[in-house]
Amino acid sequence: MITPRFSCSQTDQSLIISIYCPSVRAADVEIHVDGTLVSVHINPYFLRLNFTYPVLEDDASSAKYDPSSGYLTVTLTKEVPGQVFDDLDLLAKLLAPRPTVPRPVVEVISETSNQPENHSEENDLVSKTEALSLECEREEILKAAENDWQLPQEVQEPQLSTSIQKYYGFLDMHSGYFRHVSHTENEVNELGADAETCSAAARRQKRLRHEDDKFDEEYYMADYADDDNIRELLMWKHPYTDHSEIFKYSDEENAIMLRLPRKEYLPTTTQTHNLYLILLTILFSYAYESRTNQRDPTPESAWTLSTLVPAFSALDPPDSAPASLVDSFAFTTEELTHALITSYRRSFAFPLYRSFILAEACRMDVAGFLNGGKRTVVRCLLEMKTILDHHEVYYVYSKIWLDDFCVWAQAYARCEFSLCHDQILLSTRNDSENVLIALAKQIAELQISKSLIGWRLEALEAATQSVEERESDSDDEDSEESEESENNTY
């Protein structure tokens, strides 16, 4: 089946779906409405949409087909008149599967059955075993009560992995993409031929070692001394940080969203937390590429985007959240700083312009993107995806990261929060603001020290300034001597 192009709009009373399906028979249209789920089938097209609120198919509903334009217009009645349907422009969210509803747990209170006698003996044995286990637990609790509730603790042994295959990408769902990486011209991959078998710890070690090897002190000092080009880059303002205009996706962006995968994501608390941290590093890469080329991609753009994201080049995403994390949406200043430090380091080690003030400008761009909400964030991701998809090698990073991120950012990213001390805590209150806006505020207020980078940047800058001062003094002395010589001649 083909997913047609479509758009959605609304009035106070109705929801309107406009579907482009040229050269079809209007009599073959099948429309099914089930609460929030609406499906439209007209061979060879099939469209299934999941809305925020339920709609009805009643006498006021209609479906009209215009053969000249090829558009089928379906009008459905809102179950609650005047209710505002949000995110009608987020096509990936509308196309996402309906969330799975967990089945209720059934507790068996009693059971009677006519089982053979040997089954009864087995049940008696099971009952005695369970009773013995409960007795052991009871004795353990009594001993703990006598000893100030000091329960016995044992260090868990690490689980033995019997497979050398490692997973990576969005929620560690992917594998096999780098099986033959040694035979491709992938200059971004930092893991070499071991990309499919490297453990998470080994990936991080290789990444840090590669960053240290590639950092060039003389290059950094030269950019610090001669920063005219960088100063010009700082004057540029990214249009996506200006939110004064009404937002609307372009036809090209809608076409890309229609081609995104339709998946349901069930991340753990820790995974959800880490997705936001990974998103920061991806947006930083996009901010750097956009600012240095002023949104005019070059043949090197795909390389730059992939290199600056550690989750791409080394398959090593930030994961500062502890395994015992209770709240997915509590972000401390320390872990946000830790996530962005990796992006700072990579911007000093690999691309053309290597400057701390440029990295700071990119951080503020990230805050500006987040301040625009999920629509602006998705627009940035779609632009990155377009660049990577057109590269014959680096398209793989779009497949294992950006495709899923585009869907998740639209359909599953939580959007509400409340502030508590130095953390951002999400809640489900209707009067809460968007979590991305809260993150934007925290990212904008971050104070990233040069000493945290690990490459004695302050000493390098001080040495550069000292050399410039000595050269300036020497030039002044030469100028004075030249003037005295001219005066003596006369």
Side-chain angles (χ1 to χ4, degrees), residues 110-324:
S110 63
E111 179 182 5
T112 58
S113 61
N114 297 324
Q115 296 181 340
E117 185 176 350
N118 59 341
H119 280 260
S120 179
E121 293 177 358
E122 291 178 1
N123 292 337
D124 291 342
L125 180 60
V126 171
S127 300
K128 291 179 181 179
T129 304
E130 292 177 350
L132 181 61
S133 177
L134 292 173
E135 182 64 26
C136 292
E137 292 181 5
R138 180 172 177 274
E139 292 180 0
E140 190 174 286
I141 292 175
L142 290 176
K143 289 181 180 179
E146 295 174 357
N147 192 28
D148 194 23
W149 293 101
Q150 299 292 328
L151 292 169
Q153 302 180 89
E154 295 181 1
V155 178
Q156 297 292 329
E157 294 293 334
Q159 295 183 351
L160 178 63
S161 176
T162 58
S163 174
I164 62 173
Q165 175 67 60
K166 304 300 180 184
Y167 293 88
Y168 45 76
F170 190 87
L171 297 181
D172 290 332
M173 297 191 306
H174 301 281
S175 65
Y177 283 89
F178 301 96
R179 195 160 293 159
H180 306 290
V181 69
S182 58
H183 302 291
T184 65
E185 297 180 359
N186 190 335
E187 299 176 357
V188 170
N189 173 41
E190 299 177 10
L191 305 180
D194 300 329
E196 291 288 334
T197 58
C198 264
S199 64
R203 294 172 189 169
R204 181 149 301 179
Q205 290 177 358
K206 288 191 175 186
R207 175 180 64 78
L208 292 173
R209 190 183 309 118
H210 188 62
E211 291 170 357
D212 290 337
D213 292 341
K214 287 296 182 179
F215 178 68
D216 189 333
E217 293 184 349
E218 293 182 358
Y219 197 124
Y220 181 84
M221 294 171 71
D223 273 2
Y224 181 79
D226 185 10
D227 62 350
D228 292 341
N229 291 334
I230 294 174
R231 294 289 178 182
E232 291 182 6
L233 297 178
L234 297 178
M235 298 297 294
W236 183 76
K237 181 177 176 60
H238 201 295
Y240 294 173
T241 60
D242 181 8
H243 312 299
S244 59
E245 298 182 0
I246 299 176
F247 188 98
K248 183 179 180 181
Y249 285 117
S250 66
D251 292 340
E252 182 181 356
E253 290 169 330
N254 285 329
I256 296 174
M257 287 191 284
L258 285 176
R259 295 193 295 268
L260 291 174
R262 288 86 185 270
K263 295 181 180 179
E264 179 182 1
Y265 302 104
L266 300 174
T268 64
T269 302
T270 301
Q271 287 175 326
T272 299
H273 185 91
N274 288 335
L275 285 178
Y276 286 97
L277 301 180
I278 300 170
L279 179 63
L280 297 180
T281 63
I282 293 176
L283 291 178
F284 183 95
S285 172
Y286 170 76
Y288 181 96
E289 161 60 25
S290 299
R291 181 170 286 276
T292 53
N293 290 316
Q294 299 185 5
R295 293 190 64 232
D296 185 13
T298 69
E300 296 296 323
S301 294
W303 178 89
T304 303
L305 290 172
S306 302
T307 298
L308 291 183
V309 183
F312 291 9
S313 55
L315 305 180
D316 180 34
D319 56 354
S320 60
S324 58

Side-chain angles (χ1 to χ4, degrees), residues 218-478:
E218 293 182 358
Y219 197 124
Y220 181 84
M221 294 171 71
D223 273 2
Y224 181 79
D226 185 10
D227 62 350
D228 292 341
N229 291 334
I230 294 174
R231 294 289 178 182
E232 291 182 6
L233 297 178
L234 297 178
M235 298 297 294
W236 183 76
K237 181 177 176 60
H238 201 295
Y240 294 173
T241 60
D242 181 8
H243 312 299
S244 59
E245 298 182 0
I246 299 176
F247 188 98
K248 183 179 180 181
Y249 285 117
S250 66
D251 292 340
E252 182 181 356
E253 290 169 330
N254 285 329
I256 296 174
M257 287 191 284
L258 285 176
R259 295 193 295 268
L260 291 174
R262 288 86 185 270
K263 295 181 180 179
E264 179 182 1
Y265 302 104
L266 300 174
T268 64
T269 302
T270 301
Q271 287 175 326
T272 299
H273 185 91
N274 288 335
L275 285 178
Y276 286 97
L277 301 180
I278 300 170
L279 179 63
L280 297 180
T281 63
I282 293 176
L283 291 178
F284 183 95
S285 172
Y286 170 76
Y288 181 96
E289 161 60 25
S290 299
R291 181 170 286 276
T292 53
N293 290 316
Q294 299 185 5
R295 293 190 64 232
D296 185 13
T298 69
E300 296 296 323
S301 294
W303 178 89
T304 303
L305 290 172
S306 302
T307 298
L308 291 183
V309 183
F312 291 9
S313 55
L315 305 180
D316 180 34
D319 56 354
S320 60
S324 58
L325 184 71
V326 176
D327 193 337
S328 301
F329 311 104
F331 302 94
T332 64
T333 301
E334 289 73 16
E335 64 183 346
L336 294 178
T337 301
H338 175 75
L340 284 178
I341 281 177
T342 302
S343 297
Y344 274 54
R345 283 171 56 91
R346 300 189 72 81
S347 70
F348 303 153
F350 299 104
L352 178 61
Y353 301 106
R354 307 178 186 182
S355 166
F356 189 86
I357 56 175
L358 178 59
E360 288 281 85
C362 293
R363 174 176 61 84
M364 296 305 297
D365 285 343
V366 172
F369 302 150
L370 295 171
N371 199 45
K374 57 186 175 183
R375 286 171 176 78
T376 301
V377 169
V378 170
R379 172 164 280 176
C380 296
L381 295 175
L382 291 175
E383 195 166 310
M384 286 185 68
K385 174 177 165 56
T386 300
I387 296 174
L388 294 180
D389 282 348
H390 285 82
H391 196 279
E392 60 183 6
V393 177
Y394 303 142
Y395 74 91
V396 65
Y397 300 111
S398 176
K399 297 299 180 186
I400 67 176
W401 281 111
L402 294 184
D403 281 2
D404 296 296
F405 250 114
C406 288
V407 177
W408 175 82
Q410 293 184 63
Y412 295 94
R414 291 282 299 276
C415 299
E416 296 168 352
F417 83 103
S418 60
L419 289 178
C420 178
H421 302 293
D422 66 335
Q423 295 183 342
I424 299 173
L425 304 175
L426 288 190
S427 68
T428 56
R429 300 175 185 174
N430 294 329
D431 59 345
S432 296
E433 298 181 22
N434 193 296
V435 62
L436 298 178
I437 297 176
L439 277 175
K441 180 180 179 182
Q442 227 183 359
I443 294 299
E445 294 176 352
L446 280 181
Q447 299 291 332
I448 296 183
S449 172
K450 296 175 183 177
S451 61
L452 299 175
I453 305 301
W455 288 330
R456 61 191 196 97
L457 300 183
E458 293 175 331
L460 294 177
E461 293 176 0
T464 304
Q465 289 179 346
S466 177
V467 171
E468 289 181 338
E469 291 173 357
R470 288 199 300 269
E471 291 178 350
S472 177
D473 294 340
S474 177
D475 292 341
D476 292 340
E477 291 177 359
D478 292 341

